[in-house]
Amino acid sequence: MNLDREKQLAAIEAVKYVKSGMTVGLGTGSTAAHMVKELGLLVKSGLEIVGVPSSENTNKLATELGIPLTTLEKTNGIDVYIDGADEFDPYMQLIKGGGGALLREKILTYNSDLVIIIADSQKEVKRLGDFKLPVETIPFATKKIEQLLQKMGLHPKSRLKDGSNFVTDEGNFILDLDMAHVSNIQLLESTLKQIPVLWKLAYFWIWPIL
């Protein structure tokens, strides 16, 4: 089975948790796009939901598919949030953020009653770190944060697009870190969270992976 088909099957299973009347958080990335497409088909068949997209790209796709949308501030919370992952290990620890929607994804996760992560088999690793760990930083402090992360041995690299800094939907930059050599990833997560004006999207929570 090819990976694209795996993503589609995972998406089909994930949307089974979505019922009429729900507010649904819509993730970002190639796997999440399959989920959004499946929801679009269900909406056409009569499913009544409202979506909260995690990025402008997802907003555009959902709008094209006829999924009614709202914003986080206009909801009382999100019933279920469905997104993909860049890596997951046997302990259901995840790295996310490859699609560049780090901050919004984490905010939607925090505000959701149920979070479902879908992934193809290629995303499974024995140990996190093959995929670079993305962190989102405000431009004002990016250079200083980059210097600090370099001292920590994380070899930060600025994410680029068309030769310039990649800019998130929130107007921030992304640094991709090398954590392959880090033995205590929980400690790394805690340390990164203590750096002011830095948002990180390495998730170390147990989530259902379909």
Side-chain angles (χ1 to χ4, degrees):
M1 184 184 301
N2 64 45
L3 295 178
D4 200 58
R5 180 56 176 163
E6 287 186 15
K7 294 177 181 180
Q8 183 183 31
L9 291 175
I12 291 171
E13 289 300 311
V15 299
K16 291 179 180 179
Y17 288 82
V18 178
K19 309 299 180 184
S20 282
M22 283 186 169
T23 298
V24 183
L26 308 176
T28 293
S30 61
T31 306
H34 280 284
M35 174 272 300
V36 176
K37 292 174 183 177
E38 293 300 324
L39 283 179
L41 294 174
L42 293 176
V43 167
K44 287 183 179 179
S45 299
L47 180 70
E48 297 182 356
I49 61 169
V50 61
V52 181
S54 59
S55 68
E56 298 304 314
N57 286 338
T58 298
N59 188 314
K60 182 176 182 293
L61 177 60
T63 299
E64 292 172 350
L65 296 172
I67 300 174
L69 299 177
T70 188
T71 60
L72 180 62
E73 65 182 10
K74 294 180 180 178
T75 72
N76 293 321
I78 297 171
D79 296 295
V80 57
Y81 175 59
I82 307 174
D83 205 348
D86 299 302
E87 278 188 350
F88 69 92
D89 69 11
Y91 306 101
M92 298 297 101
Q93 300 178 135
L94 314 175
I95 287 181
K96 287 184 48 57
L102 288 69
L103 181 56
R104 291 189 185 184
E105 288 176 343
K106 193 148 196 178
I107 290 172
L108 291 186
T109 296
Y110 181 81
N111 285 278
S112 299
D113 294 333
L114 173 65
V115 176
I116 300 175
I117 297 299
I118 54 179
D120 61 73
S121 59
Q122 196 174 59
K123 302 296 176 60
E124 183 175 10
V125 295
K126 292 182 178 180
R127 184 185 181 285
L128 296 181
D130 289 343
F131 192 90
K132 301 299 182 183
L133 175 65
V135 297
E136 184 169 342
T137 65
I138 65 171
F140 172 78
T142 296
K143 181 54 66 175
K144 288 297 183 183
I145 292 173
E146 185 176 6
Q147 292 170 354
L148 175 59
L149 296 174
Q150 187 67 47
K151 291 180 180 179
M152 294 170 61
L154 297 172
H155 310 293
K157 298 290 185 183
S158 295
R159 186 177 298 185
L160 304 178
K161 182 178 181 180
D162 300 326
S164 300
N165 280 310
F166 176 92
V167 180
T168 72
D169 290 336
E170 294 299 316
N172 298 316
F173 297 157
I174 292 178
L175 297 174
D176 291 307
L177 312 183
D178 179 7
M179 57 169 283
H181 61 289
V182 177
S183 58
N184 190 333
I185 56 177
Q186 288 83 5
L187 177 60
L188 174 63
E189 179 191 34
S190 176
T191 301
L192 291 176
K193 283 182 175 179
Q194 294 177 39
I195 300 176
V197 299
L198 182 153
W199 295 282
K200 66 171 294 295
L201 260 291
Y203 294 116
F204 301 107
W205 303 336
I206 299 176
W207 287 349
I209 295 184
L210 303 178

